[in-house]
């Protein structure tokens, strides 16, 4: 009798992979994500009581009289365990939930996405794009699309990340690897882009005000970091793709579809495009052109109704601030056009049923958001995030470093602070008045300081629950692996953080101080008073 074939040896796990296994194991010792956020919210209440009792406070670096600055110029820990705190919790609980920014965005966007999904448009579009495509090229395209999606506000979080999982599944690859690649591009590469986005004028305004503490006439424009951000787009695309292909996907191994929610797995994703689907895609394309034309009419002409009504600006305008409405319109128009042509939708009832089905699939996410919103709100009320930010900035100030190598430590401090204060503008509003004048006195320009800050602010977004969309990504991921915990998600994203933080910092140092290239048009590297 012939010998039975030898079993395929298990792939060797190197030290880095074993480290990630340890992170995943430790993280998954934590309870269910909903329970975890509930415990964190309760923990913040008790911690605030302790810090309030100890009267923990730090000097507020913002100018006296500025919005949110106390009369005594101090940021004090606020207790939620006294009478005022308890009343604030009871009266704010519902508002924290309904006012949690990602909740409304996701619900509105999913109304449109549900139509496109139910009609079959998403399945047909994905198959037409990726079947037969080289897998490495697909990975690169997903990371790149994630980075540039930041121009269109939340579209990356609510559309691209779940779509990337579906694309990887259609190719027979692990869907969580596709989700990780998209998440890395959207959030880990948040500050890289080819175009100026809504965050650029916001950060520039904060930097300018901080610079004027030292130089009252200093001006920082929205394009201050544009050159460096464009170059960073290609760096993050390359690094994110390589990390996905050579670290994350091998670690995840072969996908076990039995652990998924059956509603997200569509075996027809592997089928070739039919004639009916091709007809539907043509009509969806016509609908797409119509939506794009409508978008252009509201933004490009001088009389565009969605331009800034006061300044006429196209970037800092209602067009981008309300971009989720365009997501809704886009998917309803293209999904219904496809459905009518392909025969999958015949009346308005089909559209309504599709919307209802999409929202019904978000039950776990809505529960998760309720507790996550309380945690984020409590953390903000107590001032613990601001105290952490000022403490980190003070530590950097006390190091006494003055050379360009100082920026490695500066970026690292910003990355650590970002773990507890997830909003880019909120973190910069508190820390810029310390960092910008301090580094200007050493001789570095506000534009360069801002560019370095943005690296630290971006790279740890993907591993902190304080990032407002972290709960959404967790909810998406559990649809493909019902046993997935916080530890699995953090371990999956940690390699991106490590490589982004290291290589992006080195790239910044090379770009700015070795090659001497300006970070943006008219942006000097050094400041001279």
């Amino acid at each position: 009798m012939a010998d039975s074939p030898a079993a395929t040896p298990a792939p060797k796990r190197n030290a880095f992979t074993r480290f990630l296994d340890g992170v995943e194991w430790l993280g998954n010792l934590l309870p269910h994500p909903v329970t975890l956020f509930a415990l964190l919210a309760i923990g913040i209440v008790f911690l605030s009581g302790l810090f309030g009792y100890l009267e923990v406070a730090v000097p507020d670096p913002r100018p006296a009289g500025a919005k949110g600055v106390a009369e005594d110029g101090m940021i004090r820990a606020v207790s939620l365990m006294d009478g005022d705190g308890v009343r604030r919790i009871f009266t704010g609980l519902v508002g924290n939930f309904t006012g949690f920014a990602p909740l409304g965005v996701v619900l509105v966007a999913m109304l449109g996405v549900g139509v496109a999904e139910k009609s079959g448009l998403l399945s047909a579009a994905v198959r037409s794009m990726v079947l037969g495509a080289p897998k490495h090229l697909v990975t690169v395209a997903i990371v790149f699309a994630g980075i540039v999606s930041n121009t269109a506000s939340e579209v990356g979080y609510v559309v691209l990340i779940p779509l990337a999982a579906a694309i990887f599944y259609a190719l027979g690859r692990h869907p969580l690897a596709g989700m990780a690649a998209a998440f890395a591009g959207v959030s880990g590469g948040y500050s890289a882009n080819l175009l100026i986005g809504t965050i650029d004028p916001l950060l520039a305004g904060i930097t300018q005000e901080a610079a004027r503490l030292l130089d009252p006439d200093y001006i920082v424009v929205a394009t201050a970091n544009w050159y460096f951000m464009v170059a960073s787009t290609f760096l993050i695309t390359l690094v994110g793709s390589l990390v996905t292909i050579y670290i994350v996907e091998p670690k995840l191994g072969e996908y076990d579809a039995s652990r998924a929610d059956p509603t997200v797995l569509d075996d027809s994703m592997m089928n070739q495009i039919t004639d009916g689907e091709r007809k539907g895609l043509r009509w969806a394309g016509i609908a797409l052109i119509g939506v794009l034309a409508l978008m252009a009419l509201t933004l490009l002409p001088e009389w565009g109704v969605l331009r800034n009504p006061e300044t006429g600006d196209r970037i800092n305008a209602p067009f981008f601030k309300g971009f989720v409405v365009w997501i809704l319109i886009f998917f309803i128009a293209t999904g219904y056009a496809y459905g009518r042509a392909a025969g999958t939708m015949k009346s308005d009832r089909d559209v309504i049923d599709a919307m209802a089905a999409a929202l019904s699939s978000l039950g776990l996410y809505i529960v998760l958001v309720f507790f996550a919103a309380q945690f984020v709100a409590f953390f903000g009320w107590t001032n613990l995030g601001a105290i952490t930010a000022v403490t980190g900035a003070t530590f950097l100030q006390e190091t006494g470093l003055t050379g360009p190598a100082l920026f490695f430590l500066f970026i690292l401090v910003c990355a650590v602070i970002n773990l507890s204060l997830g909003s880019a503008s909120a973190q910069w509003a508190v820390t810029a008045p310390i960092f910008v004048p301090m580094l200007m006195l050493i001789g570095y320009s506000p534009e360069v300081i801002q560019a370095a800050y943005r690296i630290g602010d971006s790279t740890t977004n993907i591993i902190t629950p304080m990032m407002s969309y972290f709960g959404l990504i967790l909810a998406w991921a559990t649809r493909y692996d019902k046993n997935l915990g916080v530890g699995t998600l953090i371990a999956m994203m940690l390699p991106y953080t490590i490589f982004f933080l290291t290589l992006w910092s080195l790239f910044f140092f090379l770009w700015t101080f070795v090659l001497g290239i300006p970070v943006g048009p008219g942006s000097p590297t050094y400041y001279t008073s």
Side-chain angles (χ1 to χ4, degrees):
M1 186 174 68
D3 294 335
S4 59
T8 304
K12 294 183 178 180
R13 306 182 75 79
N14 57 34
F16 185 64
T17 302
R18 290 195 296 273
F19 164 70
L20 295 178
D21 289 340
V23 171
E24 180 177 358
W25 179 78
L26 288 172
N28 286 340
L29 290 178
L30 298 170
H32 189 283
V34 172
T35 306
L36 176 61
F37 277 114
L39 292 174
L40 286 172
I42 295 171
I44 288 296
V45 173
F46 284 106
L47 191 63
S48 73
L50 174 63
F51 279 29
Y53 176 77
L54 297 175
E55 297 183 347
V56 174
V58 296
D60 195 325
R62 293 171 293 182
K67 183 179 179 181
V69 177
E71 292 183 2
D72 62 357
M74 301 294 289
I75 300 176
R76 301 183 182 277
V78 177
S79 173
L80 295 179
M81 294 189 67
D82 57 16
D84 288 339
V86 173
R87 286 188 288 273
R88 189 172 189 181
I89 291 173
F90 269 76
T91 58
L93 205 71
V94 175
N96 294 341
F97 177 48
T98 58
F100 193 59
L103 177 63
V105 169
V106 171
L107 293 180
V108 171
M110 284 303 294
L111 290 173
V113 173
V115 175
E117 184 177 21
K118 190 73 172 179
S119 70
L121 171 61
L122 291 185
S123 173
V126 168
R127 283 182 286 131
S128 67
M129 289 188 296
V130 304
L131 291 182
K135 68 175 185 177
H136 295 352
L137 183 60
V138 170
T139 306
V140 171
I142 286 174
V143 178
F144 179 78
I147 296 170
V148 299
S149 72
N150 288 315
T151 304
S153 192
E154 295 89 356
V155 65
Y157 290 107
V158 299
V159 177
L160 181 64
I161 292 176
L163 182 60
I167 290 173
F168 266 51
Y169 179 71
L171 292 173
R173 300 170 67 183
H174 203 299
L176 292 183
M179 188 172 291
F183 189 22
V186 172
S187 199
Y190 180 69
S191 284
N193 216 321
L194 300 179
L195 303 173
I196 300 299
T198 53
I199 191 65
D200 293 277
L202 184 59
L203 293 182
I206 296 172
T207 304
Q208 177 174 286
E209 292 304 310
R212 287 183 173 181
L213 295 174
L214 194 65
D215 186 341
D217 298 320
Y218 204 92
I219 296 176
V220 180
V221 296
T223 56
N225 301 144
W226 187 41
Y227 294 162
F228 181 68
M229 293 301 104
V230 169
S232 296
T233 300
F234 299 100
L235 172 73
I236 297 302
T237 298
L238 175 63
V239 175
S241 301
L242 293 176
V243 169
T244 303
I245 295 167
Y246 293 108
I247 297 178
V248 173
E249 199 164 9
K251 182 184 182 303
L252 288 170
E254 187 175 351
Y255 181 55
D256 180 6
S258 66
R259 303 177 69 173
D261 178 348
T263 62
V264 302
L265 302 181
D266 184 1
D267 291 335
S268 68
M269 291 286 282
M270 301 303 294
N271 297 336
Q272 295 298 317
I273 301 295
T274 65
D275 291 339
E277 289 173 327
R278 290 191 182 92
K279 180 181 178 182
L281 288 173
R282 285 194 294 270
W283 278 98
I286 294 172
L288 170 62
I289 293 171
V291 173
L292 292 177
L294 180 61
M295 294 171 72
L297 286 174
T298 63
L299 182 68
L300 298 182
E302 294 294 329
W303 43 263
V305 69
L306 292 183
R307 293 175 65 160
N308 189 310
E310 297 177 359
T311 65
D313 187 22
R314 293 187 178 96
I315 299 298
N316 185 23
F319 181 91
F320 287 105
K321 292 179 180 178
F323 201 83
V324 67
V325 179
W326 285 119
I327 297 175
L328 174 66
I329 294 171
F330 168 80
F331 281 110
I332 289 178
T334 57
Y336 186 67
Y338 173 91
R340 290 288 293 185
T344 57
M345 284 193 163
K346 303 185 184 304
S347 69
D348 61 323
R349 181 173 293 276
D350 293 324
V351 175
I352 295 169
D353 290 343
M355 291 180 174
L359 293 189
S360 68
S361 69
L362 294 177
L364 176 60
Y365 171 66
I366 293 172
V367 175
L368 180 66
V369 161
F370 175 79
F371 292 99
Q374 308 311 322
F375 167 56
V376 172
F378 293 176
F379 199 74
W381 290 350
T382 59
N383 285 338
L384 297 184
I387 290 172
T388 302
V390 174
T391 302
T394 303
F395 161 75
L396 179 63
Q397 195 170 21
E398 292 173 350
T399 61
L401 296 176
T402 58
L406 165 67
F407 279 91
F408 288 111
L409 183 57
F410 171 51
I411 292 170
L412 181 61
V413 168
C414 292
V416 172
I417 292 173
N418 189 55
L419 293 172
S420 63
L421 198 61
S423 167
S425 57
Q427 182 190 158
W428 194 227
V430 173
T431 56
I434 297 175
F435 288 141
V436 173
M438 178 187 80
L439 296 176
M440 286 174 69
L441 288 172
I442 298 174
Y444 301 106
S445 74
E447 292 86 351
V448 164
I449 300 166
Q450 178 181 283
Y453 159 75
R454 297 177 74 171
I455 297 173
D457 172 68
S458 296
T459 51
T460 50
N461 281 338
I462 49 182
I463 60 171
T464 174
M466 290 303 301
M467 199 276 293
S468 57
Y469 283 93
F470 190 87
L472 173 63
I473 308 308
L474 193 60
W476 289 140
T478 55
R479 297 182 71 186
Y480 286 94
D481 185 350
K482 59 187 177 184
N483 299 323
L484 182 140
V486 173
T488 303
L489 181 57
I490 292 177
M492 185 171 69
M493 302 310 302
L494 187 58
Y496 296 102
T497 290
I498 293 172
F499 282 93
F500 283 179
L501 185 60
T502 303
L503 297 179
W504 207 351
S505 298
L506 288 171
F507 182 64
F508 169 79
F509 186 84
L510 176 67
W511 179 279
T512 305
F513 300 112
V514 177
L515 299 178
I517 305 174
V519 293
S523 297
T525 299
Y526 299 98
Y527 170 73
T528 54
S529 56

